[in-house]
Amino acid sequence: MRKVLGACMALGLALGAAIFIGLPGATAQGGGTIEAEVKYNGAPQVEKLKVNKDTEKCGTEAVIEKVVVGANKGLQNAVVSVPGAKGGGKAVKGVIDQHGCKFVPHVVAMNPGEIEVKNSDDILHNIHTYSTANPSINKAQPKFKKVMTEKLEKPEYVKVTCDVHSWMLGWIAVTPGPAGVTDANGVAKIENVPAGKQKVEVWHETLGKQEKEVEVKAGQTTKVSFEMKK
Ligand SMILES: [Cu+2]
């Protein structure tokens, strides 16, 4: 009898542990998902420049993605964030690479903290940020320095350039809450947003900012759409 009881208890403990372990990921603290669709009715703006420096790595033409519009007028490279949901979702760490004399990705979203700046080109780059809330960064990144870790502690949309290659341009969105960047279809999905009324902010480097309020429901996807204007 004692043996059976023991086995039952062990089974009960194991089940309890499994349920407990299963909980956090499965319910995401009662959060929901926001799926934002960002559209732009205007023409795309992609500039091409002749390049004659470090051409073995940079090529002979630089493509500058100012306004990238895909199928169904979807606007790429827009940052969608939920600024009021601090601590919601997983902390997003910033990573940006200098590859082919371009910042990849062109726009990156991160939570305040560290950003990894990579140089995978094997030539000298320089990271130069333009910001007001954060101290600006202006550092050479020689080819042997494959990764530099920098800090951006305050929410802000930070412009980043390279003084070695004048056409290089990127953006780092430092957002207090969960965030994402729209894909080629103009869609960004943000998961684990706390349930309740939330303000959704959309920002684009040349088309500015818009915001809307949505009601996030636990375990559900709330869709919201934006149309950016010139
Ligand atoms: Cu460079």
Side-chain angles (χ1 to χ4, degrees):
M1 181 62 196
R2 196 176 269 177
K3 240 185 193 167
V4 174
L5 200 69
C8 281
M9 272 178 73
L11 186 69
L13 275 172
L15 270 175
I19 289 163
F20 182 73
I21 290 162
L23 267 178
T27 61
Q29 299 133 13
T33 298
I34 292 176
E35 188 181 311
E37 189 179 34
V38 185
K39 288 184 182 265
Y40 179 61
N41 240 325
Q45 272 182 57
V46 178
E47 285 174 16
K48 289 180 178 176
L49 275 180
K50 284 258 173 290
V51 165
N52 56 12
K53 192 173 191 184
D54 293 327
T55 49
E56 70 286 357
K57 294 288 175 188
C58 305
T60 54
E61 190 179 74
V63 179
I64 300 150
E65 306 171 303
K66 284 199 170 151
V67 180
V68 183
V69 184
N72 301 320
K73 307 281 176 199
L75 179 69
Q76 198 179 343
N77 291 331
V79 177
V80 181
S81 66
V82 191
K86 267 187 206 173
K90 256 199 269 167
V92 190
K93 195 186 166 173
V95 179
I96 194 166
D97 189 14
Q98 296 165 101
H99 184 64
C101 306
K102 271 182 94 168
F103 288 105
V104 182
H106 177 62
V107 179
V108 67
M110 63 179 274
N111 288 140
E114 289 185 340
I115 178 162
E116 243 176 41
V117 181
K118 294 182 178 173
N119 176 359
S120 55
D121 269 345
D122 234 12
I123 53 170
L124 171 73
H125 283 297
N126 151 280
I127 190 103
H128 193 167
T129 64
Y130 294 82
S131 52
T132 51
N134 294 279
S136 88
I137 302 160
N138 188 0
K139 276 187 187 170
Q141 188 166 14
K143 61 179 181 182
F144 56 83
K145 245 189 193 170
K146 298 286 179 214
V147 184
M148 295 199 304
T149 302
E150 299 296 333
K151 272 185 182 165
L152 292 166
E153 312 261 30
K154 301 262 165 62
E156 188 178 12
Y157 296 100
V158 178
K159 180 177 158 181
V160 52
T161 64
C162 166
D163 295 340
V164 182
H165 308 101
S166 57
W167 62 88
M168 286 177 69
L169 171 68
W171 291 90
I172 304 164
V174 188
T175 62
V181 179
T182 54
D183 62 15
N185 297 314
V187 175
K189 257 190 192 179
I190 306 169
E191 290 174 334
N192 301 325
V193 180
K197 275 198 166 61
Q198 295 287 2
K199 188 180 87 179
V200 181
E201 183 175 296
V202 171
W203 173 93
H204 183 271
E205 61 183 283
T206 59
L207 302 173
K209 229 191 259 187
Q210 277 188 26
E211 54 182 62
K212 273 187 185 176
E213 200 167 85
V214 297
E215 179 81 36
V216 177
K217 294 194 177 102
Q220 291 184 27
T221 296
T222 304
K223 289 193 177 187
V224 57
S225 59
F226 291 86
E227 195 183 323
M228 302 305 277
K229 306 260 186 247
K230 236 185 198 161

